[in-house]
Amino acid sequence: MASLAQQFTGLRCPPLSSSRLSKPFFPPKQTHKPSALSPIVSAAVAISNAQTKERAQLKQLFEEAYERCRTDPTEGVAFTLEDFHSALDIYDFNSEMGTKVKGTVFSTDKNGALVDITAKSSAYLPVQEACIYKIKHVEEAGIVPGLKEEFVIIGENEVDDSLILSLRTIQYQLAWERCRQLQAEDVVVKGKVVSGNKGGVVALVEGLRGFVPFSQISSKSTAEELLNKELPLKFVEVDEEQSRLVFSNRKAMADSQAQLGIGSVVIGTVQSLKPYGAFIDIGGINGLLHVSQISHDRVSDIAMVLQPGDTLKVMILSHDRERGRVSLSSKKLEPTPGDMIRNPKLVFEKAEEMAQTFRQRIAQAEAMARADMLRFQPEVSGLTLGSDGILGPLTSDLPAEGLNLSGVSPAVES
């Protein structure tokens, strides 16, 4: 060691300049590569510090929330307890069967429609429950997305606990109410025959099926002949509890026939053709247009003039209410003889005008007949002739012993 010290004793170091002292000192760069674990360790330390800090913040939040719940549980709440109960009343409803709920349709498919009724899950409206009438798709009944309607709960789907809704049930209730109202008003309604049996036919009115006994049908038609036809009907019995609905065609026909006047013009539809004439439906009443009353010109083949389904105007010539027979004529409505064959459209347009002319001719003929009777035997006719030549009303001042016709001269051919 002593020899080593002696060696260093003779060494001289040059003095440090001021310029060298003013420069900062930088440690020499390390030439060796850093360890591969140092970044991972740094990141782990950073994550650990962040998690610790986050846990501390969460702990502080929980402690503050616990303290608020213990001391003032309603602090910071935007609505009161009463508001909360009101909200429950709006969004909570009775899901028992038969309960009516309001909903909005938000989608449809071939089997039905999904409806939002503000429940925990959407409700479903099957297509068979969408309408009182038979339909193939809910859109036929106007069920489209966005529709707001009142439904009735009729069941529950066990798979997903969703509710099954119905509109048909509500429509049935309204239909029965409507039938009771129509029965009270004693009005005539139209019913389409949809089926039949040995006792009568089944007709559809207001979406409900009702029975029409053959004894209450004015015509002698069979159930097959009446199928898919509309009949004028009146209500006989309306019993919703027993699901019993009975109609009468005879009562409806009696009201319609009372409005038919001799010489009036009505619109009819050709129902069927026979060798002797055509049967015309005039508002539910079948009238006969005899071949001789079709036109002034001879009609050799009715099918050349009329076809089933044709619409025409006819004049009522006679009406036998007891036997239910009505005689019709289109010949009386022809502007010129043969127009029913050559120009039936003109007959349709001029029908009312020609009927008025015909009635005037009949009235003049009756007046002339009465005047002749009054001139020959005024006491027999019971008529009086005024100074203006107008016939007065019939009198009932007839002799009790009857009339003596011995003095009446026999008619002489001219």
Side-chain angles (χ1 to χ4, degrees):
M1 292 295 293
S3 61
L4 182 63
Q6 290 176 1
Q7 293 177 5
F8 280 104
T9 304
L11 295 176
R12 292 186 178 184
C13 295
L16 295 175
S17 64
S18 59
S19 60
R20 292 182 62 183
L21 291 174
S22 61
K23 291 182 180 180
F25 172 76
F26 295 98
K29 294 183 179 180
Q30 296 181 356
T31 57
H32 68 276
K33 295 183 180 180
S35 174
L37 295 176
S38 57
I40 298 176
V41 172
S42 300
V45 171
I47 292 173
S48 177
N49 293 336
Q51 290 178 344
T52 302
K53 185 177 181 181
E54 184 178 359
R55 288 193 186 99
Q57 291 175 348
L58 288 174
K59 182 180 179 181
Q60 183 180 359
L61 289 175
F62 285 138
E63 289 176 352
E64 291 176 356
Y66 172 77
E67 186 64 21
R68 285 198 304 270
C69 291
R70 189 178 65 82
T71 57
D72 192 1
T74 60
E75 180 184 0
V77 178
F79 53 91
T80 63
L81 187 61
E82 289 76 11
D83 296 333
F84 177 72
H85 287 304
S86 299
L88 288 178
D89 293 338
I90 295 175
Y91 293 101
D92 191 20
F93 56 88
N94 185 5
S95 60
E96 294 182 357
M97 302 303 106
T99 304
K100 291 183 179 180
V101 294
K102 292 183 179 180
T104 303
V105 177
F106 63 88
S107 70
T108 62
D109 55 33
K110 63 179 182 179
N111 297 319
L114 286 170
V115 184
D116 179 17
I117 56 172
T118 65
K120 61 181 179 180
S121 62
S122 59
Y124 195 69
L125 174 69
V127 64
Q128 61 267 23
E129 293 294 333
C131 184
I132 195 173
Y133 298 99
K134 188 175 181 179
I135 58 176
K136 294 182 178 180
H137 196 279
V138 292
E139 291 183 355
E140 297 177 28
I143 310 297
V144 294
L147 175 69
K148 296 182 179 180
E149 191 59 82
E150 186 177 50
F151 305 86
V152 62
I153 300 173
I154 61 170
E156 185 176 354
N157 192 337
E158 297 179 357
V159 177
D160 57 2
D161 294 333
S162 63
L163 298 176
I164 300 176
L165 306 179
S166 174
L167 277 175
R168 187 170 66 114
T169 303
I170 297 177
Q171 292 174 359
Y172 264 120
Q173 296 172 354
L174 295 175
W176 279 106
E177 183 179 346
R178 175 65 175 161
C179 287
R180 286 191 292 268
Q181 179 184 357
L182 293 173
Q183 183 189 31
E185 296 174 358
D186 196 31
V187 298
V188 177
V189 297
K190 288 282 188 178
K192 184 179 181 180
V193 178
V194 294
S195 63
N197 53 41
K198 294 181 179 180
V201 297
V202 176
L204 202 62
V205 176
E206 296 291 331
L208 300 177
R209 291 173 175 260
F211 186 64
V212 189
F214 279 127
S215 61
Q216 292 298 319
I217 298 178
S218 60
S219 66
K220 300 298 180 181
S221 303
T222 63
E224 291 75 15
E225 293 173 339
L226 295 174
L227 192 63
N228 294 323
K229 291 185 177 180
E230 286 192 343
L231 297 177
L233 303 169
K234 270 198 169 186
F235 291 90
V236 175
E237 184 178 356
V238 180
D239 190 343
E240 183 179 1
E241 293 183 358
Q242 300 295 327
S243 296
R244 184 175 174 83
L245 195 60
V246 183
F247 301 106
S248 173
N249 171 247
R250 285 187 176 275
K251 290 185 176 182
M253 296 297 288
D255 280 8
S256 300
Q257 291 175 359
Q259 300 174 3
L260 296 179
I262 306 303
S264 59
V265 177
V266 293
I267 297 178
T269 304
V270 179
Q271 295 296 310
S272 61
L273 301 179
K274 302 294 181 182
Y276 50 84
F279 283 98
I280 313 296
D281 178 16
I282 49 174
I285 302 173
N286 277 330
L288 175 62
L289 177 60
H290 195 268
V291 63
S292 63
Q293 288 296 328
I294 295 177
S295 176
H296 284 87
D297 288 358
R298 183 175 179 273
V299 177
S300 57
D301 186 1
I302 301 177
M304 297 296 292
V305 183
L306 300 172
Q307 286 293 324
D310 287 351
T311 300
L312 71 163
K313 289 183 179 180
V314 289
M315 176 186 287
I316 298 175
L317 293 183
S318 64
H319 183 196
D320 187 345
R321 288 181 173 82
E322 293 183 357
R323 303 176 67 180
R325 294 182 177 180
V326 180
S327 297
L328 308 173
S329 174
S330 58
K331 179 172 71 174
K332 307 296 184 185
L333 304 178
E334 289 184 321
T336 56
D339 280 342
M340 269 300 294
I341 300 174
R342 294 185 297 270
N343 193 359
K345 184 178 179 181
L346 179 63
V347 178
F348 193 94
E349 294 174 352
K350 298 285 186 179
E352 283 75 12
E353 181 181 339
M354 297 307 300
Q356 180 64 23
T357 303
F358 177 77
R359 287 191 291 266
Q360 290 175 355
R361 290 202 306 265
I362 294 299
Q364 290 175 359
E366 289 179 350
M368 291 177 62
R370 291 183 181 182
D372 288 342
M373 185 180 294
L374 179 62
R375 186 172 66 252
F376 286 113
Q377 193 78 19
E379 65 275 9
V380 174
S381 65
L383 297 173
T384 58
L385 190 62
S387 58
D388 53 0
I390 299 178
L391 294 173
L394 288 168
T395 63
S396 57
D397 300 333
L398 297 177
E401 64 277 8
L403 298 174
N404 182 9
L405 303 178
S406 60
V408 179
S409 57
V412 179
E413 293 184 3
S414 56

